[in-house]
Amino acid sequence: MKTSLVANLLYKSNLNYTHLAIGTPAEWKRKLKEPKWKKPRGVKQRNKALEWLRSNRANKNDEGIIFFADDDNTYSVELFNEMRTIKGVGVWPVGLVGGLLVEKPLINSKGKVIGWNSAWRPERPFPVDMAGFAINLKVLHNHPNAAFSWDVSRGYQESAILSQVTTVEQLEPMADNCSKVYVWHTRTEDPILKAEEKLKNRGLRSDMNIEV
């Protein structure tokens, strides 16, 4: 469901936006003690966004770039400036991901992607982080059934969508031929709030009437 916290954040951003919200089916929700990687996350939400784009930006003159931003990444404005030039599917390096300082596409002398330096499951068809690619809206319209999947292994969501819309040979290297980092997987960790737990046990909260 939509929350006022997200609504207010969007309102204050001064960006043009459409606020979408859809819940994860109960059977795919992670149980309390299950590890975060146990079940796929964001599938329903990303597919809802793709569905909205197909319905509301379906005119042949509509232009745009699809990028799946995350709350645990840090972005340079330069990344968004570069995205505007993508004609198909663009890729670039991502910092602090997959156990590496930088995970990136490998580029040959002709400016083509020929592989990746990826330490985690490098056998993936597209061993790239969700923050490491963007898709031109026209590509989405040319592949009306492309979507994220519930039935892929951990770390394969990126490959699931990219395999439906492009090939490695068609990828467009961005960020100065993938030599610069404009996005970092900085992550957000659950804070340790022992004092807050004591308040909750007394029926109180420190954030009463405050957006945090």
Side-chain angles (χ1 to χ4, degrees):
M1 61 181 294
K2 295 180 183 179
T3 66
S4 58
L5 186 64
V6 174
N8 290 337
L9 176 66
L10 291 170
Y11 177 75
K12 293 174 184 176
S13 71
N14 293 319
L15 297 171
N16 293 326
Y17 65 87
T18 297
H19 186 180
L20 303 174
I22 189 168
T24 298
E27 65 271 23
W28 290 103
K29 286 186 177 180
R30 181 171 61 94
K31 292 181 173 59
L32 185 60
K33 293 186 178 181
E34 281 186 325
K36 292 180 180 178
W37 51 262
K38 188 72 174 179
K39 293 177 180 176
R41 293 177 293 165
V43 174
K44 192 83 169 177
Q45 292 74 23
R46 293 186 182 107
N47 283 341
K48 182 67 174 178
L50 297 179
E51 177 186 324
W52 186 92
L53 287 168
R54 288 185 172 110
S55 298
N56 295 274
R57 294 291 182 270
N59 189 296
K60 66 178 182 179
N61 295 320
D62 285 333
E63 297 183 350
I65 302 297
I66 303 165
F67 179 58
F68 300 99
D70 236 331
D71 62 353
D72 59 356
N73 292 330
T74 301
Y75 305 94
S76 167
V77 173
E78 292 172 277
L79 178 65
F80 301 100
N81 289 336
E82 288 222 2
M83 280 185 203
R84 295 188 176 99
T85 67
I86 293 173
K87 293 180 173 56
V89 178
V91 291
W92 48 79
V94 179
L96 308 177
V97 69
L100 297 172
L101 283 174
V102 179
E103 185 179 79
K104 66 178 182 178
L106 300 175
I107 313 301
N108 66 13
S109 59
K110 296 180 180 179
K112 293 291 185 180
V113 176
I114 57 172
W116 273 265
N117 75 321
S118 175
W120 189 80
R121 303 194 76 166
E123 72 277 7
R124 289 173 290 160
F126 293 86
V128 59
D129 187 75
M130 197 69 71
F133 68 93
I135 303 170
N136 189 292
L137 178 63
K138 296 186 187 307
V139 173
L140 180 69
H141 292 323
N142 290 336
H143 299 83
N145 297 316
F148 290 92
S149 172
W150 296 104
D151 301 316
V152 296
S153 301
R154 175 192 178 198
Y156 275 74
Q157 288 296 339
E158 296 87 350
S159 292
I161 190 70
L162 289 173
S163 296
Q164 296 172 70
V165 301
T166 191
T167 65
V168 172
E169 293 75 21
Q170 293 172 323
L171 294 174
E172 301 167 34
M174 312 299 291
D176 197 8
N177 248 6
C178 293
S179 66
K180 297 177 180 176
V181 179
Y182 294 144
V183 55
W184 299 262
H185 189 61
T186 43
R187 303 187 62 178
T188 49
E189 300 287 354
D190 291 336
I192 299 172
L193 302 172
K194 293 182 179 179
E196 189 71 31
E197 291 302 318
K198 291 180 180 179
L199 280 177
K200 288 182 179 179
N201 291 336
R202 293 162 50 199
L204 301 172
R205 298 173 63 97
S206 67
D207 61 347
M208 293 289 288
N209 303 315
I210 297 175
E211 285 189 1
V212 180

